Amino acid sequence: CKSVPWVRKHTMSWKSSLPPDLVLKPMIESTTKEVHKMLEAFKRREPCKLYFNRPVSATAGADFMRGYLTVIKQPMDLGTVTRKLEEDSKRPADEKHYQFLEDFACDCRQIWKNALVFNEPRGKPEPNKPGSPAYIFDHASKLASDFEAKLAEMHRELEKEAPPCPRLLRARLLLADVRRSPFSEHYRREKDWRKLGDEYVAFLREEMKRPSEPEDLDSITDWLRKVQRQADGEDAGQAAWLLGGGGVRPP
């Protein structure tokens, strides 16, 4: 379980990073080309050259790796992402590592999350110098925010050429993508955010202006199911109104 300051920092940093019109984007040739350009731009950044372009195991000793793998269960790096993209160029669509842009994003988010989790500041503040956990943590946070901004920009451009998508389906796709994001582990179930205690609830009420209890993805999924039932029945107009933010959730 992460500390409240860690969750607070990244709740504030990324709460608006995903575009509201997100819907799954297939990795067609033009999309893959743009992904390669974005990936190569990140790999040229100095922090990525030092810490994120290769697996941690490529430079770390055996003792360090034993401790690292105790904390980090899904290692990932930009070099591995590049290799997967190159392998995908020779595979049919249904056998690709990244069938959708969201699949690519999930691996990249795993890189930033691993660095944030392993290098989270603990106890007395330490000097923020190259190689220190504080230095890696700060750069991982900046890279994560920059990545989300670039991804949102790419989504907006792709959306211009995308076919229409019903609002309810779009909401379900967005929810599914958020649920599998490595950063959503504290919000998937009620028990996840309850582990953070009263300090987290107080933070939401004070900083996020949310007078009610925190939301979780399970409760939003249940709400969407109720909206779907209304849309399938006689209350389709009411369902559309609710989904557009026009009132309280259905009972």
Side-chain angles (χ1 to χ4, degrees):
C1 180
K2 303 311 297 173
S3 65
V4 171
W6 190 95
V7 177
R8 174 184 300 172
K9 176 181 176 63
H10 299 294
T11 299
M12 296 296 287
S13 298
W14 300 323
K15 64 177 180 176
S16 300
S17 59
L18 287 171
D21 55 359
L22 178 142
V23 67
L24 295 180
K25 303 296 188 297
M27 287 287 279
I28 57 177
E29 184 177 353
S30 59
T31 305
T32 302
K33 183 178 179 180
E34 292 302 312
V35 163
H36 270 291
K37 287 170 59 178
M38 181 170 69
L39 183 61
E40 290 305 313
F42 272 87
K43 289 170 66 178
R44 288 193 294 270
R45 294 191 180 194
E46 196 61 29
C48 290
K49 290 180 181 179
L50 292 173
Y51 307 113
F52 303 111
N53 284 357
R54 294 183 295 171
V56 174
S57 59
T59 56
D63 289 342
F64 179 88
M65 284 307 299
R66 277 193 289 272
Y68 183 80
L69 294 175
T70 299
V71 178
I72 303 303
K73 303 304 181 182
Q74 294 179 274
M76 186 53 60
D77 61 275
L78 294 175
T80 298
V81 174
T82 301
R83 174 182 59 78
K84 287 184 175 184
L85 282 170
E86 291 171 348
E87 291 175 355
D88 282 352
S89 67
K90 305 170 186 176
R91 295 184 174 193
D94 61 348
E95 295 180 11
K96 292 181 183 294
H97 297 291
Y98 303 137
Q99 296 183 27
F100 296 94
L101 179 58
E102 289 74 16
D103 299 327
F104 159 79
C106 194
D107 266 0
C108 290
R109 288 167 178 151
Q110 189 68 52
I111 298 171
W112 322 133
K113 180 189 173 183
N114 289 348
L116 292 167
V117 168
F118 193 77
N119 295 284
E120 179 191 5
R122 298 174 178 87
K124 184 180 179 180
E126 59 182 14
N128 190 339
K129 58 184 180 180
S132 70
Y135 181 88
I136 297 173
F137 182 92
D138 286 348
H139 280 283
S141 181
K142 178 67 164 59
L143 287 164
S145 296
D146 290 352
F147 176 80
E148 294 300 328
K150 293 291 185 183
L151 187 69
E153 181 181 341
M154 187 179 296
H155 267 290
R156 282 190 289 269
E157 289 301 313
L158 292 171
E159 191 67 23
K160 294 176 182 178
E161 303 177 3
C165 180
R167 183 177 292 180
L168 185 55
L169 175 59
R170 190 185 295 276
R172 290 166 58 189
L173 289 169
L174 173 59
L175 183 61
D177 186 52
V178 172
R179 181 180 288 278
R180 67 176 179 160
S181 168
F183 289 107
S184 71
E185 65 174 297
H186 306 291
Y187 318 106
R188 290 173 187 153
R189 299 165 294 271
E190 180 180 343
K191 66 179 183 180
D192 295 334
W193 59 261
R194 286 204 180 277
K195 291 178 183 177
L196 297 170
D198 294 339
E199 183 182 352
Y200 177 64
V201 177
F203 155 70
L204 286 182
R205 289 174 175 167
E206 179 179 351
E207 301 291 338
M208 308 294 287
K209 310 304 180 186
R210 294 294 302 272
S212 59
E213 286 194 329
E215 294 282 5
D216 55 80
L217 297 179
D218 279 355
S219 66
I220 296 173
T221 299
D222 290 341
W223 174 67
L224 275 177
R225 290 194 183 110
K226 293 175 182 177
V227 173
Q228 180 69 66
R229 287 197 295 270
Q230 288 188 323
D232 291 340
E234 297 180 357
D235 295 327
Q238 171 74 356
W241 183 68
L242 285 167
L243 195 58
V248 297
R249 294 184 180 183

